[in-house]
Structure formats: structure tokens, C-alpha cells
Amino acid sequence: MLAQPTLLAAHEGKSGPFIKWLEELGLSEFLKRYPLAQLVEWGWIVPQYRVMFPQRFFESWENYPCNPWEPPEDLEQYAILWDYYWGIDDNKDESEPLWFLDPLFHPGDHAGKLLRQCPYSEGTTLTPAPIDHARGIPIAPYADYFYRWQGYALVDVIR
């Protein structure tokens, strides 16, 4: 069974689960006129985290942006953060501490540790320079992470 993740990613400020969430909230046309990266720059919405992905991450992803792919072992945590979803293990022992938390927020979760090392700092509105993938696709090698409730807050700001 899949649960809704606590944090939703916005890949390159233009795709990913957070963008889909904003579209579900009825903001598709608004985002065409005012892209998420612009809204972040204006301070209308502030990411919780911004993860910069190493160029090697995309170089090793030969069929980017298609899935599946097998990342090198040292880039697995980046792969988890790029395509994160929370799978609930029906056999999970409920007596285990923190069983109810999104795994990213478990103290020992390696992807969560990587994420927490990348808090978004206000004033960090510049996006990284794009890199060119071998398939000829330009990629801005970052993802911003937002809480779901921030979509509702954005609707209030727009109003």
C-alpha cells in the first residue's frame, strides 16, 4: 500500500509530485503564467529543502527521465530523494518506535539524513546552471521539497 509522503518534490521547479499536487488544487493555468521557480524567487512559497544533485547522478541515468534505472550504489540515496514515495509495509511491527512516521523522518534513514543536510535558506533563490544530459536534455540538477499544506498556503497567498 502506498501512503502520501510527508514531503513532495518539485524537480527542477517544473515537474514532480508537488507540481501535480498544485495542479490538483486547480493551479495549472496559474503555474503556466507564473512557474514555481518564479514563486519561490518572489517568496510566495518557500521550500523546506533544496537538494543539489551531482552531475554524475544524471550521467549514470542513461535513459533519463524514464524509469526504471539502477543508480550506482553511492547515488542510491539521491535516487530515493528524486523519486520518493512512501510504501507502507503491512507487516510492519507496530511496537517498533516511530513506525507511524514517514521513513525520511526516522533518525537512521540515510536518504532522510541527506535531505536534512540541505535545508533551504531564504535568499537562495538562484537555481543552478543547467547541465546537458547525453540524450540532449538540459537539466537543472536540483529538487525542492515542500509539505503538502504549503499548496493550500499558496492558494491563500494567490487569493
PDB file of all heavy atoms in Angstrom, residues 4-10 16-19 21-22 84 144-149:
ATOM      1  N   GLN A   4       0.703   8.798   1.270  1.00  0.00           N
ATOM      2  CA  GLN A   4       1.143  10.088   0.771  1.00  0.00           C
ATOM      3  C   GLN A   4       2.405  10.484   1.531  1.00  0.00           C
ATOM      4  O   GLN A   4       2.413  10.483   2.755  1.00  0.00           O
ATOM      5  CB  GLN A   4       0.054  11.136   0.973  1.00  0.00           C
ATOM      6  CG  GLN A   4      -1.234  10.828   0.254  1.00  0.00           C
ATOM      7  CD  GLN A   4      -1.053  10.841  -1.255  1.00  0.00           C
ATOM      8  OE1 GLN A   4      -0.234  11.553  -1.795  1.00  0.00           O
ATOM      9  NE2 GLN A   4      -1.841  10.033  -1.933  1.00  0.00           N
ATOM     10  N   PRO A   5       3.471  10.836   0.814  1.00  0.00           N
ATOM     11  CA  PRO A   5       4.693  11.246   1.516  1.00  0.00           C
ATOM     12  C   PRO A   5       4.486  12.563   2.251  1.00  0.00           C
ATOM     13  O   PRO A   5       3.630  13.370   1.887  1.00  0.00           O
ATOM     14  CB  PRO A   5       5.726  11.390   0.405  1.00  0.00           C
ATOM     15  CG  PRO A   5       4.981  11.372  -0.870  1.00  0.00           C
ATOM     16  CD  PRO A   5       3.625  10.814  -0.627  1.00  0.00           C
ATOM     17  N   THR A   6       5.275  12.760   3.275  1.00  0.00           N
ATOM     18  CA  THR A   6       5.215  13.988   4.057  1.00  0.00           C
ATOM     19  C   THR A   6       5.694  15.178   3.232  1.00  0.00           C
ATOM     20  O   THR A   6       5.140  16.252   3.290  1.00  0.00           O
ATOM     21  CB  THR A   6       6.071  13.843   5.330  1.00  0.00           C
ATOM     22  OG1 THR A   6       5.602  12.698   6.039  1.00  0.00           O
ATOM     23  CG2 THR A   6       5.982  15.052   6.213  1.00  0.00           C
ATOM     24  N   LEU A   7       6.758  14.960   2.466  1.00  0.00           N
ATOM     25  CA  LEU A   7       7.312  15.998   1.606  1.00  0.00           C
ATOM     26  C   LEU A   7       7.086  15.630   0.151  1.00  0.00           C
ATOM     27  O   LEU A   7       7.204  14.461  -0.222  1.00  0.00           O
ATOM     28  CB  LEU A   7       8.814  16.142   1.845  1.00  0.00           C
ATOM     29  CG  LEU A   7       9.235  16.740   3.175  1.00  0.00           C
ATOM     30  CD1 LEU A   7      10.728  16.576   3.378  1.00  0.00           C
ATOM     31  CD2 LEU A   7       8.869  18.211   3.233  1.00  0.00           C
ATOM     32  N   LEU A   8       6.789  16.625  -0.663  1.00  0.00           N
ATOM     33  CA  LEU A   8       6.597  16.412  -2.092  1.00  0.00           C
ATOM     34  C   LEU A   8       7.699  17.150  -2.838  1.00  0.00           C
ATOM     35  O   LEU A   8       7.982  18.320  -2.546  1.00  0.00           O
ATOM     36  CB  LEU A   8       5.231  16.922  -2.538  1.00  0.00           C
ATOM     37  CG  LEU A   8       4.022  16.279  -1.865  1.00  0.00           C
ATOM     38  CD1 LEU A   8       2.742  16.983  -2.294  1.00  0.00           C
ATOM     39  CD2 LEU A   8       3.948  14.800  -2.175  1.00  0.00           C
ATOM     40  N   ALA A   9       8.296  16.475  -3.805  1.00  0.00           N
ATOM     41  CA  ALA A   9       9.398  17.066  -4.565  1.00  0.00           C
ATOM     42  C   ALA A   9       8.890  17.850  -5.762  1.00  0.00           C
ATOM     43  O   ALA A   9       7.878  17.507  -6.369  1.00  0.00           O
ATOM     44  CB  ALA A   9      10.339  15.957  -5.053  1.00  0.00           C
ATOM     45  N   ALA A  10       9.626  18.897  -6.077  1.00  0.00           N
ATOM     46  CA  ALA A  10       9.436  19.647  -7.318  1.00  0.00           C
ATOM     47  C   ALA A  10      10.770  19.586  -8.048  1.00  0.00           C
ATOM     48  O   ALA A  10      11.739  20.224  -7.638  1.00  0.00           O
ATOM     49  CB  ALA A  10       9.033  21.091  -7.043  1.00  0.00           C
ATOM     50  N   GLY A  16       7.170  16.885 -11.086  1.00  0.00           N
ATOM     51  CA  GLY A  16       7.243  16.128  -9.839  1.00  0.00           C
ATOM     52  C   GLY A  16       5.950  16.180  -9.053  1.00  0.00           C
ATOM     53  O   GLY A  16       4.987  16.852  -9.430  1.00  0.00           O
ATOM     54  N   PRO A  17       5.915  15.466  -7.934  1.00  0.00           N
ATOM     55  CA  PRO A  17       4.683  15.330  -7.147  1.00  0.00           C
ATOM     56  C   PRO A  17       4.123  16.648  -6.612  1.00  0.00           C
ATOM     57  O   PRO A  17       2.912  16.803  -6.522  1.00  0.00           O
ATOM     58  CB  PRO A  17       5.079  14.410  -5.999  1.00  0.00           C
ATOM     59  CG  PRO A  17       6.382  13.822  -6.344  1.00  0.00           C
ATOM     60  CD  PRO A  17       6.995  14.641  -7.418  1.00  0.00           C
ATOM     61  N   PHE A  18       4.980  17.608  -6.250  1.00  0.00           N
ATOM     62  CA  PHE A  18       4.438  18.862  -5.728  1.00  0.00           C
ATOM     63  C   PHE A  18       3.736  19.652  -6.828  1.00  0.00           C
ATOM     64  O   PHE A  18       2.667  20.232  -6.591  1.00  0.00           O
ATOM     65  CB  PHE A  18       5.521  19.714  -5.064  1.00  0.00           C
ATOM     66  CG  PHE A  18       4.946  20.901  -4.333  1.00  0.00           C
ATOM     67  CD1 PHE A  18       4.157  20.726  -3.201  1.00  0.00           C
ATOM     68  CD2 PHE A  18       5.176  22.188  -4.770  1.00  0.00           C
ATOM     69  CE1 PHE A  18       3.596  21.802  -2.530  1.00  0.00           C
ATOM     70  CE2 PHE A  18       4.632  23.275  -4.100  1.00  0.00           C
ATOM     71  CZ  PHE A  18       3.843  23.085  -2.979  1.00  0.00           C
ATOM     72  N   ILE A  19       4.295  19.643  -8.022  1.00  0.00           N
ATOM     73  CA  ILE A  19       3.643  20.326  -9.148  1.00  0.00           C
ATOM     74  C   ILE A  19       2.296  19.662  -9.432  1.00  0.00           C
ATOM     75  O   ILE A  19       1.281  20.352  -9.633  1.00  0.00           O
ATOM     76  CB  ILE A  19       4.536  20.301 -10.402  1.00  0.00           C
ATOM     77  CG1 ILE A  19       5.875  20.995 -10.147  1.00  0.00           C
ATOM     78  CG2 ILE A  19       3.807  20.903 -11.595  1.00  0.00           C
ATOM     79  CD1 ILE A  19       5.811  22.469  -9.894  1.00  0.00           C
ATOM     80  N   TRP A  21       0.441  18.106  -7.342  1.00  0.00           N
ATOM     81  CA  TRP A  21      -0.450  18.472  -6.243  1.00  0.00           C
ATOM     82  C   TRP A  21      -1.037  19.867  -6.473  1.00  0.00           C
ATOM     83  O   TRP A  21      -2.237  20.090  -6.301  1.00  0.00           O
ATOM     84  CB  TRP A  21       0.295  18.401  -4.915  1.00  0.00           C
ATOM     85  CG  TRP A  21      -0.427  18.936  -3.735  1.00  0.00           C
ATOM     86  CD1 TRP A  21      -0.007  19.922  -2.899  1.00  0.00           C
ATOM     87  CD2 TRP A  21      -1.700  18.521  -3.225  1.00  0.00           C
ATOM     88  NE1 TRP A  21      -0.925  20.144  -1.912  1.00  0.00           N
ATOM     89  CE2 TRP A  21      -1.988  19.298  -2.095  1.00  0.00           C
ATOM     90  CE3 TRP A  21      -2.630  17.572  -3.624  1.00  0.00           C
ATOM     91  CZ2 TRP A  21      -3.151  19.162  -1.358  1.00  0.00           C
ATOM     92  CZ3 TRP A  21      -3.799  17.430  -2.887  1.00  0.00           C
ATOM     93  CH2 TRP A  21      -4.049  18.213  -1.763  1.00  0.00           C
ATOM     94  N   LEU A  22      -0.195  20.812  -6.880  1.00  0.00           N
ATOM     95  CA  LEU A  22      -0.686  22.164  -7.154  1.00  0.00           C
ATOM     96  C   LEU A  22      -1.697  22.159  -8.302  1.00  0.00           C
ATOM     97  O   LEU A  22      -2.693  22.883  -8.257  1.00  0.00           O
ATOM     98  CB  LEU A  22       0.478  23.103  -7.471  1.00  0.00           C
ATOM     99  CG  LEU A  22       1.465  23.365  -6.325  1.00  0.00           C
ATOM    100  CD1 LEU A  22       2.603  24.249  -6.808  1.00  0.00           C
ATOM    101  CD2 LEU A  22       0.771  23.961  -5.114  1.00  0.00           C
ATOM    102  N   TYR A  84      10.795   9.836  -4.644  1.00  0.00           N
ATOM    103  CA  TYR A  84      10.371   9.356  -3.349  1.00  0.00           C
ATOM    104  C   TYR A  84       8.873   9.094  -3.256  1.00  0.00           C
ATOM    105  O   TYR A  84       8.059   9.901  -3.691  1.00  0.00           O
ATOM    106  CB  TYR A  84      10.747  10.373  -2.263  1.00  0.00           C
ATOM    107  CG  TYR A  84      10.425   9.888  -0.875  1.00  0.00           C
ATOM    108  CD1 TYR A  84      11.111   8.815  -0.335  1.00  0.00           C
ATOM    109  CD2 TYR A  84       9.420  10.456  -0.128  1.00  0.00           C
ATOM    110  CE1 TYR A  84      10.810   8.339   0.926  1.00  0.00           C
ATOM    111  CE2 TYR A  84       9.109  10.003   1.135  1.00  0.00           C
ATOM    112  CZ  TYR A  84       9.808   8.932   1.661  1.00  0.00           C
ATOM    113  OH  TYR A  84       9.503   8.458   2.907  1.00  0.00           O
ATOM    114  N   ASP A 144      13.364  20.815  -5.129  1.00  0.00           N
ATOM    115  CA  ASP A 144      12.889  21.470  -3.915  1.00  0.00           C
ATOM    116  C   ASP A 144      11.844  20.562  -3.278  1.00  0.00           C
ATOM    117  O   ASP A 144      11.120  19.843  -3.972  1.00  0.00           O
ATOM    118  CB  ASP A 144      12.248  22.820  -4.235  1.00  0.00           C
ATOM    119  CG  ASP A 144      13.268  23.889  -4.588  1.00  0.00           C
ATOM    120  OD1 ASP A 144      14.440  23.778  -4.169  1.00  0.00           O
ATOM    121  OD2 ASP A 144      12.892  24.854  -5.286  1.00  0.00           O
ATOM    122  N   TYR A 145      11.738  20.623  -1.957  1.00  0.00           N
ATOM    123  CA  TYR A 145      10.803  19.779  -1.216  1.00  0.00           C
ATOM    124  C   TYR A 145       9.875  20.655  -0.389  1.00  0.00           C
ATOM    125  O   TYR A 145      10.327  21.544   0.336  1.00  0.00           O
ATOM    126  CB  TYR A 145      11.574  18.794  -0.321  1.00  0.00           C
ATOM    127  CG  TYR A 145      12.372  17.834  -1.159  1.00  0.00           C
ATOM    128  CD1 TYR A 145      13.623  18.196  -1.643  1.00  0.00           C
ATOM    129  CD2 TYR A 145      11.847  16.613  -1.538  1.00  0.00           C
ATOM    130  CE1 TYR A 145      14.340  17.347  -2.461  1.00  0.00           C
ATOM    131  CE2 TYR A 145      12.559  15.757  -2.352  1.00  0.00           C
ATOM    132  CZ  TYR A 145      13.805  16.130  -2.817  1.00  0.00           C
ATOM    133  OH  TYR A 145      14.495  15.292  -3.641  1.00  0.00           O
ATOM    134  N   PHE A 146       8.590  20.387  -0.532  1.00  0.00           N
ATOM    135  CA  PHE A 146       7.546  21.165   0.120  1.00  0.00           C
ATOM    136  C   PHE A 146       6.618  20.221   0.882  1.00  0.00           C
ATOM    137  O   PHE A 146       6.382  19.094   0.449  1.00  0.00           O
ATOM    138  CB  PHE A 146       6.688  21.898  -0.921  1.00  0.00           C
ATOM    139  CG  PHE A 146       7.451  22.842  -1.799  1.00  0.00           C
ATOM    140  CD1 PHE A 146       8.054  22.401  -2.961  1.00  0.00           C
ATOM    141  CD2 PHE A 146       7.543  24.190  -1.471  1.00  0.00           C
ATOM    142  CE1 PHE A 146       8.744  23.276  -3.785  1.00  0.00           C
ATOM    143  CE2 PHE A 146       8.232  25.069  -2.287  1.00  0.00           C
ATOM    144  CZ  PHE A 146       8.833  24.614  -3.450  1.00  0.00           C
ATOM    145  N   TYR A 147       6.042  20.727   1.967  1.00  0.00           N
ATOM    146  CA  TYR A 147       4.977  19.995   2.641  1.00  0.00           C
ATOM    147  C   TYR A 147       3.693  20.189   1.839  1.00  0.00           C
ATOM    148  O   TYR A 147       3.490  21.225   1.198  1.00  0.00           O
ATOM    149  CB  TYR A 147       4.778  20.505   4.076  1.00  0.00           C
ATOM    150  CG  TYR A 147       5.903  20.133   5.002  1.00  0.00           C
ATOM    151  CD1 TYR A 147       6.805  21.088   5.449  1.00  0.00           C
ATOM    152  CD2 TYR A 147       6.073  18.817   5.420  1.00  0.00           C
ATOM    153  CE1 TYR A 147       7.844  20.742   6.297  1.00  0.00           C
ATOM    154  CE2 TYR A 147       7.109  18.452   6.266  1.00  0.00           C
ATOM    155  CZ  TYR A 147       7.992  19.424   6.698  1.00  0.00           C
ATOM    156  OH  TYR A 147       9.018  19.070   7.527  1.00  0.00           O
ATOM    157  N   ARG A 148       2.840  19.214   1.878  1.00  0.00           N
ATOM    158  CA  ARG A 148       1.567  19.265   1.147  1.00  0.00           C
ATOM    159  C   ARG A 148       0.754  20.508   1.533  1.00  0.00           C
ATOM    160  O   ARG A 148       0.169  21.166   0.680  1.00  0.00           O
ATOM    161  CB  ARG A 148       0.776  17.980   1.455  1.00  0.00           C
ATOM    162  CG  ARG A 148      -0.513  17.837   0.714  1.00  0.00           C
ATOM    163  CD  ARG A 148      -1.140  16.493   0.978  1.00  0.00           C
ATOM    164  NE  ARG A 148      -0.271  15.399   0.593  1.00  0.00           N
ATOM    165  CZ  ARG A 148      -0.165  14.917  -0.636  1.00  0.00           C
ATOM    166  NH1 ARG A 148      -0.878  15.413  -1.590  1.00  0.00           N
ATOM    167  NH2 ARG A 148       0.656  13.933  -0.907  1.00  0.00           N
ATOM    168  N   TRP A 149       0.740  20.851   2.820  1.00  0.00           N
ATOM    169  CA  TRP A 149      -0.044  22.001   3.268  1.00  0.00           C
ATOM    170  C   TRP A 149       0.409  23.297   2.616  1.00  0.00           C
ATOM    171  O   TRP A 149      -0.354  24.258   2.533  1.00  0.00           O
ATOM    172  CB  TRP A 149      -0.039  22.139   4.796  1.00  0.00           C
ATOM    173  CG  TRP A 149       1.305  22.396   5.411  1.00  0.00           C
ATOM    174  CD1 TRP A 149       2.130  21.474   5.985  1.00  0.00           C
ATOM    175  CD2 TRP A 149       1.988  23.645   5.527  1.00  0.00           C
ATOM    176  NE1 TRP A 149       3.283  22.070   6.440  1.00  0.00           N
ATOM    177  CE2 TRP A 149       3.216  23.410   6.165  1.00  0.00           C
ATOM    178  CE3 TRP A 149       1.676  24.948   5.146  1.00  0.00           C
ATOM    179  CZ2 TRP A 149       4.136  24.414   6.444  1.00  0.00           C
ATOM    180  CZ3 TRP A 149       2.608  25.959   5.408  1.00  0.00           C
ATOM    181  CH2 TRP A 149       3.818  25.689   6.052  1.00  0.00           C
TER     182      TRP A 149
END
